[in-house]
Amino acid sequence: MSINAVIKAFDHSEQMLEEHPQNDGVAPAIELLSTDKVYNNGTRALLPVDLKIKQGEFVTLLGPSGCGKSTLLKMVAGLEEPSDGRLLLWRKPINQLANNGRTLSFVFQEASLMAWHSVRKNVRLALELEGVKGKEADERVEKVLKLVGLEKFSEALPKELSGGMQMRVSIARGLVIKPDLLLMDEPFGALDEITRYKLDSDLLDLWQRNGLTVIFVTHSIHEAVFLSQRVIVMAARPGRVVADIKIEEPFPRKAEFRMQPRFTEYAMQLHDCLVSASTEDEL
Amino acid sequence: MNTIAPNPKRPWLSHPRIRKVIVPAAIAVILLLLWQAVVTAGKVPEYIFPSPLVTLNTLYEDWGLLGPSLLFTLKITLLSFLMATVVGCGIAFLFVQSRAIETAFFPYAVLLQVTPIVAIAPLIIIWIDNTVLALVVCSTLVALFPIISNTTLGLRSVSPNLLAYFKLRQASRLQVLWRLRIPSALPYFFAALKIASGLSLVGAVVAEFVAGTGGSNTGLAYQILQSGYQLNIPRMFAALILISLTGVVLFIAMSILSKLAIGHWHESEN
């Protein structure tokens, strides 16, 4: 096959994608088409992944350490280049995201705040880098701090806040630019269980109110069940997707959901998936 | 039943700030007293080892000679410290722009550091006619390396997540430098200033020794040399004490500057 023929086929596939959205009528926000990742030292971080995530969906990537879930998330953010395959955000390559009028935010595992700035300035910086200044920036910062319950701490320095509060600042920094897509890499992994449960509920509330598309990385089965509409189960060595499980529980989800038999059933299903994938590795 | 014990009033000496001043000052007083006692009890002649009182008296009586020398040494020290800071930061910014530049030029920065200033000072003094400028250049070379090394390290020691965050927000190189790299580097930079301020003084004194200039351009090193030739040991001690005190004052000044600049957020200043 000549190079021209390959390019033609590639253009055709892109045209087909634009002309024919998914059958259920909701256009996918994210599409990974045989996307894989091999690092320069030859380590295969991720086998080819095919995945579509709809606009407004809350999807969790669940798996053990080293299964490539963070790599996958970073590829979606454009922080890592895929080695092969295609990755489209709203039907366009990631470098055209701004042209699409879309924005994404990334919340890291650590709050990663600027220690020398107050809470308000940390959040405001995101807007200043986008070119939003003056009164509009002030109003948006105030609104988002209220949303995460930190309006009284706007002048505090990060070191004066608890771990949970710092993470709220990090989320506020992510939300202030009004993203279409929120990517979260084990954001609550370092927090105690009570704070974590509270932030899980707050996150669901924010997701529903703002119509975000969220990809959430965790290695906690219970967190995945509580938060997600879909859980993508991944396995390690090499990193790969092994299952795509729907959590068909209506929203809003209250804390009581964690006590219900359905919750345990979903948790068991995910647990079995993870165990069978790791058993395959050992064999 | 839980009872809350009354909070006893904290003794003033246990306050960290007071302790930071009182303890070293108390040790200084003890050492001075010991020095005075040993010299007095042993009847040590002042041309061998002058007592603190004799030294203090010489400092007062020879102030007409030592004062201008102190100002001259201070001038060389401050000029070279300023020059080392400006040049060092400029080189560090350049190094951070590209690993290739750093790899190519860093060995030469190390070369500056490991070459003894006494070995190259005579050359510099021959090449540069202006004595003050020659001394400043010598002293700058001594103080430069810690600024380059620490500032480069600081500019590179940025949280990878914050760097990724700036990348996601499509920040320009200048925005990354100004809003992220420079604030992150400040603790390293101020640590470098504390070292470089002392090295500027050492460089100034060593360069003066090598230059050995007389006339109006005479620093404390020249006074030490002259005192040695004339066996005026009390004046030598007085000049030495002035040099030591200058070093301590410079260090304290840099510590205060650091505290003012980063004390509110960086744990090293707590």
Side-chain angles (χ1 to χ4, degrees):
Chain A
M1 201 184 216
S2 71
I3 289 180
N4 282 340
V6 172
I7 292 170
K8 205 172 170 185
F10 179 80
D11 288 344
H12 179 70
S13 70
E14 197 168 43
Q15 196 184 350
M16 291 283 286
L17 277 171
E18 284 181 11
E19 284 172 3
H20 302 283
Q22 278 181 321
N23 292 337
D24 55 11
V26 182
I30 302 155
E31 288 164 280
L32 288 100
L33 308 166
S34 296
T35 313
D36 72 357
K37 180 70 187 174
V38 182
Y39 285 112
N40 290 340
N41 63 6
T43 308
R44 181 171 279 279
L46 204 59
L47 288 178
V49 174
D50 286 292
L51 183 66
K52 286 183 183 179
I53 295 172
K54 285 182 283 185
Q55 168 94 36
E57 223 175 355
F58 197 122
V59 174
T60 293
L61 306 179
L62 173 74
S65 300
C67 71
K69 50 192 192 302
S70 291
T71 304
L72 182 54
L73 199 72
K74 283 179 182 165
M75 286 201 296
V76 173
L79 293 171
E80 294 270 6
E81 287 274 328
S83 303
D84 204 357
R86 299 195 72 200
L87 201 160
L88 302 172
L89 299 182
W90 286 277
R91 297 293 166 90
K92 300 277 183 197
I94 186 155
N95 55 10
Q96 291 177 27
L97 187 69
N99 300 344
N100 259 353
R102 305 281 186 175
T103 50
L104 66 82
S105 273
F106 198 106
V107 178
F108 298 92
Q109 192 169 5
E110 298 93 31
S112 303
L113 302 175
M114 283 168 286
W116 53 92
H117 276 331
S118 65
V119 166
R120 187 175 57 79
K121 283 188 177 170
N122 262 288
V123 178
R124 202 176 195 275
L125 179 88
L127 291 173
E128 284 172 4
L129 292 174
E130 300 279 319
V132 183
K133 285 179 184 164
K135 207 178 168 190
E136 190 194 343
D138 289 336
E139 282 171 3
R140 279 171 68 174
V141 170
E142 205 175 307
K143 201 172 164 188
V144 81
L145 286 179
K146 214 170 187 176
L147 199 68
V148 297
L150 285 176
E151 68 273 27
K152 287 180 185 162
F153 296 89
S154 63
E155 295 310 318
L157 286 171
K159 69 171 185 180
E160 295 161 352
L161 305 177
S162 67
M165 288 161 96
Q166 287 185 20
M167 198 43 82
R168 281 173 198 270
V169 181
S170 185
I171 292 170
R173 185 177 64 182
L175 291 177
V176 76
I177 57 158
K178 299 179 180 168
D180 301 280
L181 174 61
L182 184 61
L183 306 171
M184 306 182 89
D185 189 4
E186 294 186 51
F188 311 142
L191 303 177
D192 64 273
E193 208 162 357
I194 293 172
T195 311
R196 194 171 179 160
Y197 281 6
K198 171 87 177 80
L199 288 177
D200 281 347
S201 297
D202 291 352
L203 177 63
L204 277 188
D205 193 34
L206 288 170
W207 166 68
Q208 281 192 290
R209 276 199 275 167
N210 294 282
L212 297 165
T213 306
V214 179
I215 307 183
F216 188 96
V217 165
T218 184
H219 51 230
S220 160
I221 292 174
H222 293 97
E223 193 168 43
V225 174
F226 184 75
L227 291 174
S228 325
Q229 290 177 306
R230 269 168 77 198
V231 180
I232 310 297
V233 183
M234 298 180 72
R237 286 180 298 275
R240 63 198 187 278
V241 170
V242 291
D244 183 345
I245 294 168
K246 283 191 175 177
I247 309 292
E248 293 179 277
E249 179 70 19
F251 291 91
R253 289 177 186 170
K254 300 286 175 202
E256 294 77 50
F257 173 49
R258 294 180 194 273
M259 306 298 159
Q260 290 174 2
R262 287 195 311 284
F263 187 91
T264 315
E265 281 166 22
Y266 281 124
M268 283 305 295
Q269 191 183 352
L270 292 175
H271 176 262
D272 292 346
C273 250
L274 286 168
V275 169
S276 68
S278 69
T279 315
E280 278 172 28
D281 291 341
E282 283 161 18
L283 291 174
Chain B
M1 193 175 79
N2 287 334
T3 54
I4 298 167
N7 190 11
K9 208 177 172 187
R10 209 176 173 193
W12 64 272
L13 197 58
S14 71
H15 197 285
R17 278 188 188 170
I18 292 173
R19 240 188 328 192
K20 234 175 177 175
V21 178
I22 295 285
V23 174
I27 288 174
V29 170
I30 292 167
L31 286 176
L32 283 172
L33 288 173
L34 206 67
W35 176 6
Q36 183 69 42
V38 168
V39 171
T40 311
K43 292 179 181 160
V44 182
E46 66 180 41
Y47 59 85
I48 301 282
F49 193 42
S51 70
L53 283 175
V54 169
T55 308
L56 205 65
N57 189 43
T58 311
L59 196 61
Y60 176 72
E61 283 181 353
D62 291 354
W63 184 250
L65 204 64
L66 293 173
S69 294
L70 171 67
L71 282 181
F72 181 78
T73 301
L74 203 58
K75 185 171 91 176
I76 302 295
T77 303
L78 293 179
L79 280 174
S80 59
F81 181 45
L82 185 71
M83 201 152 139
T85 307
V86 172
V87 175
C89 285
I91 293 174
F93 285 145
L94 206 66
F95 281 178
V96 170
Q97 295 312 305
S98 132
R99 280 275 182 202
I101 296 175
E102 189 183 348
T103 311
F105 290 101
F106 200 79
Y108 298 100
V110 176
L111 206 69
L112 273 181
Q113 165 74 3
V114 297
T115 309
I117 191 66
V118 285
I120 50 171
L123 274 176
I124 292 168
I125 287 160
I126 290 167
W127 289 339
I128 301 173
D129 278 343
N130 185 313
T131 311
V132 172
L133 186 61
L135 295 179
V136 168
V137 170
C138 289
S139 180
T140 302
L141 290 179
V142 177
L144 191 61
F145 186 77
I147 307 255
I148 297 176
S149 171
N150 263 33
T151 311
T152 306
L153 182 68
L155 291 169
R156 289 214 183 278
S157 300
V158 174
S159 148
N161 285 350
L162 275 173
L163 210 55
Y165 173 76
F166 273 70
K167 187 185 171 191
L168 276 173
R169 299 274 66 85
Q170 295 174 323
S172 66
R173 274 173 99 92
L174 194 66
Q175 283 174 320
V176 173
L177 181 69
W178 185 247
R179 289 174 173 269
L180 181 61
R181 288 197 188 275
I182 290 178
S184 302
L186 284 180
Y188 296 83
F189 172 69
F190 283 111
L193 287 192
K194 284 179 194 168
I195 302 166
S197 60
L199 285 181
S200 299
L201 179 64
V202 171
V205 171
V206 171
E208 278 176 29
F209 266 119
V210 177
T213 52
S216 59
N217 289 341
T218 53
L220 288 170
Y222 179 77
Q223 295 302 340
I224 291 173
L225 278 176
Q226 281 299 310
S227 308
Y229 297 145
Q230 296 162 2
L231 273 182
N232 190 346
I233 308 304
R235 191 192 289 167
M236 189 189 263
F237 263 72
L240 267 175
I241 282 174
L242 282 180
I243 290 174
S244 305
L245 285 179
T246 307
V248 171
V249 168
L250 281 173
F251 184 85
I252 291 172
M254 289 309 113
S255 300
I256 292 171
L257 195 66
S258 175
K259 184 103 186 159
L260 288 174
I262 60 170
H264 66 292
W265 63 270
H266 199 259
E267 60 272 13
S268 68
E269 295 296 332
N270 291 333

